[in-house]
Amino acid sequence: MVTFKIGDKVEVLDEAIKGHVLSISNNTVAIETTDGFKMEYEPSQLVKIQGELKVTNFEVAKVKQQKDAPKKKKNVIVKAKERNAPKMEVDLHIHQLTNSTRGMSSFDMLNLQLDTAKRQIEFAIRKRIQKVVFIHGVGEGVLKEELVYLFKRYENIKYYDAEYKKYGLGATEIYIYQNS
């Protein structure tokens, strides 16, 4: 069990509250939040903050640059019969992937959606399915951006917005170039 001292920086579990320890008595730790409020918690509800991670703008820009670096794409000629190949649809709405989101953070849900997308891409490549539509919804666009990043990691995939008439703005279609 973590022991606290007066002045320790702490964070409250399951709440977005930070502060520092004012006093400790029996089974209660009194903290002053960063907003200046005095609150009391049990020691098991608090986590000691060792130090905060600092990242410079230069480091952020460097990572973004690496993430967006284009990969070499091979020129592939699309045969006429391939244009009309049937599509596979993958619905990435979270309620389609799990029975309950209870206890899942946004990060967990996004990772489940991305893992599903990656599994489906690998399946389509193995089964030589050329067109896959990922239905991601409109929302804030976080899932769509992460999908684009995932698609860029494959040399043999071209991605574009899916048919507007059928899917609206909430879907992205990929075309997988097959090696004969």
Side-chain angles (χ1 to χ4, degrees):
M1 180 153 167
V2 179
T3 54
F4 298 100
K5 297 183 299 227
I6 294 174
D8 281 347
K9 288 185 178 181
V10 292
E11 202 168 319
V12 181
L13 288 173
D14 300 329
E15 291 185 49
I17 298 175
K18 292 182 182 180
H20 64 275
V21 176
L22 290 176
S23 65
I24 304 162
S25 65
N26 294 345
N27 199 20
T28 309
V29 178
I31 69 167
E32 182 178 344
T33 67
T34 52
D35 298 326
F37 294 102
K38 184 178 177 185
M39 301 179 91
E40 292 184 352
Y41 292 97
E42 292 177 18
S44 62
Q45 294 175 300
L46 299 173
V47 175
K48 193 186 294 189
I49 302 172
Q50 299 297 337
E52 298 201 21
L53 181 65
K54 302 212 188 251
V55 180
T56 65
N57 286 341
F58 176 73
E59 290 168 322
V60 171
K62 206 167 155 185
V63 169
K64 272 185 156 181
Q65 186 180 23
Q66 288 173 349
K67 204 172 179 182
D68 293 337
K71 295 199 175 191
K72 290 183 183 178
K73 303 227 179 199
K74 297 175 189 171
N75 290 338
V76 179
I77 300 166
V78 180
K79 297 173 190 158
K81 67 173 183 151
E82 293 173 349
R83 278 190 226 119
N84 301 323
K87 300 175 196 170
M88 178 172 115
E89 285 184 1
V90 180
D91 192 344
L92 294 175
H93 285 93
I94 195 68
H95 64 273
Q96 296 290 338
L97 304 179
T98 183
N99 291 333
S100 171
T101 57
R102 180 182 222 122
M104 290 179 78
S105 67
S106 298
F107 179 76
D108 294 333
M109 289 187 250
L110 180 63
N111 275 333
L112 175 63
Q113 291 168 313
L114 291 173
D115 289 345
T116 302
K118 186 173 183 180
R119 242 186 0 265
Q120 294 299 328
I121 290 171
E122 297 296 331
F123 174 81
I125 290 171
R126 275 195 320 276
K127 297 294 183 182
R128 303 184 65 75
I129 299 169
Q130 291 186 302
K131 290 183 179 182
V132 183
V133 176
F134 289 95
I135 303 168
H136 47 71
V138 181
E140 294 176 23
V142 175
L143 177 58
K144 183 176 182 178
E145 281 303 309
E146 288 298 323
L147 283 173
V148 166
Y149 174 64
L150 176 66
F151 300 152
K152 285 181 180 178
R153 291 169 41 195
Y154 292 89
E155 289 182 10
N156 59 336
I157 289 181
K158 179 176 87 172
Y159 63 92
Y160 42 89
D161 288 337
E163 184 184 347
Y164 180 78
K165 210 176 201 178
K166 186 171 181 182
Y167 302 103
L169 296 172
T172 301
E173 184 172 330
I174 65 169
Y175 182 86
I176 304 170
Y177 295 103
Q178 304 288 342
N179 297 337
S180 303

